[in-house]
Amino acid sequence: MKRIIILVSAAFLMLSGYSAHAQSYNAERTALTNFLVRMYNNAPFEGVRVLEDYEEAYLLSVLTLEKSKYPNESTMNRVASVKAMSQASRFFNGSNITSDLIIRTSEKSDGSSDTEIIENIKENSVGYVKQLEMLTNFPATDTGWQVFMYFKKLDTDKEETE
């Protein structure tokens, strides 16, 4: 009988240890999400940032989309995902930017002239960053915009060994 009680208590201790680890991950992720939402609400930002804490480093991609431009939430989520991957790719792989400036001057019949300035800016980036995970999305305060935050845990072991 003692043997059965010991086995059952050992199994219970092993299972409780596994569930505590899972809760720890969710608690850390929730704390990170709450911190980033507070930081965004205090001073809104977009783009890619690298966040580091004592043990981990994260790549964060933040973007906003106007809700009225998308017919449904699924489409908006897909566009946000692709834009987040695009931002991360430009961050890691760089981009090539070209700019053209066209100035058109036309003379009117009364002797005056009109000047039209057209600037074309093109950006080209090659690469792909996978495994971005949506951290959160929430409506921006007092606007028709939705904020999306994607993140990826960075491998810091490579940097230490190189």
Side-chain angles (χ1 to χ4, degrees), residues 3 5 47 73 79 81 89-90 92 110 142 152 159:
R3 187 181 253 180
I5 293 174
E73 192 173 335
V79 169
S81 174
S89 175
R90 283 190 305 247
F92 280 118
D110 64 354
D142 299 332
K152 175 183 178 179
E159 296 172 5

Side-chain angles (χ1 to χ4, degrees), residues 101-107 113-120:
L101 185 64
I102 300 169
I103 302 173
R104 290 186 186 170
T105 304
S106 59
E107 194 170 319
S113 62
D114 280 339
T115 303
E116 180 183 11
I117 300 173
I118 301 171
E119 185 174 15
N120 294 321

Side-chain angles (χ1 to χ4, degrees), residues 21-157:
H21 178 68
Q23 290 173 351
S24 173
Y25 171 76
N26 287 336
E28 290 172 11
R29 183 176 168 150
T30 302
L32 176 65
T33 302
N34 291 339
F35 169 74
L36 291 172
V37 169
R38 283 193 313 269
M39 188 168 83
Y40 182 88
N41 287 332
N42 187 35
F45 61 93
E46 284 192 42
V48 176
R49 293 184 178 195
V50 175
L51 303 171
E52 294 184 58
D53 64 7
Y54 297 110
E55 299 160 1
E56 304 293 338
Y58 303 97
L59 175 81
L60 177 69
S61 181
V62 179
L63 59 115
T64 56
L65 296 176
E66 191 172 2
K67 293 179 194 178
S68 63
K69 290 186 177 182
Y70 301 96
N72 56 41
E73 192 173 335
S74 175
T75 303
M76 186 169 51
N77 286 335
R78 180 64 184 145
V79 169
S81 174
V82 170
K83 283 190 173 191
M85 286 187 284
S86 174
Q87 285 181 343
S89 175
R90 283 190 305 247
F91 178 78
F92 280 118
N93 303 317
S95 64
N96 183 21
I97 301 172
T98 58
S99 175
D100 297 326
L101 185 64
I102 300 169
I103 302 173
R104 290 186 186 170
T105 304
S106 59
E107 194 170 319
K108 294 183 178 180
S109 59
D110 64 354
S112 63
S113 62
D114 280 339
T115 303
E116 180 183 11
I117 300 173
I118 301 171
E119 185 174 15
N120 294 321
I121 300 173
K122 295 179 184 178
E123 181 177 16
N124 185 22
S125 178
V126 177
Y128 182 74
V129 175
K130 57 184 175 178
Q131 298 174 345
L132 282 179
E133 183 179 345
M134 183 186 287
L135 185 62
T136 187
N137 67 347
F138 56 94
T141 54
D142 299 332
T143 63
W145 293 77
Q146 187 80 6
V147 179
F148 293 86
M149 291 186 177
Y150 288 82
F151 83 115
K152 175 183 178 179
K153 186 176 172 183
L154 296 176
D155 188 12
T156 56
D157 295 335

Side-chain angles (χ1 to χ4, degrees), residues 4 9 87 95 161:
I4 293 174
S9 22
Q87 285 181 343
S95 64
T161 59

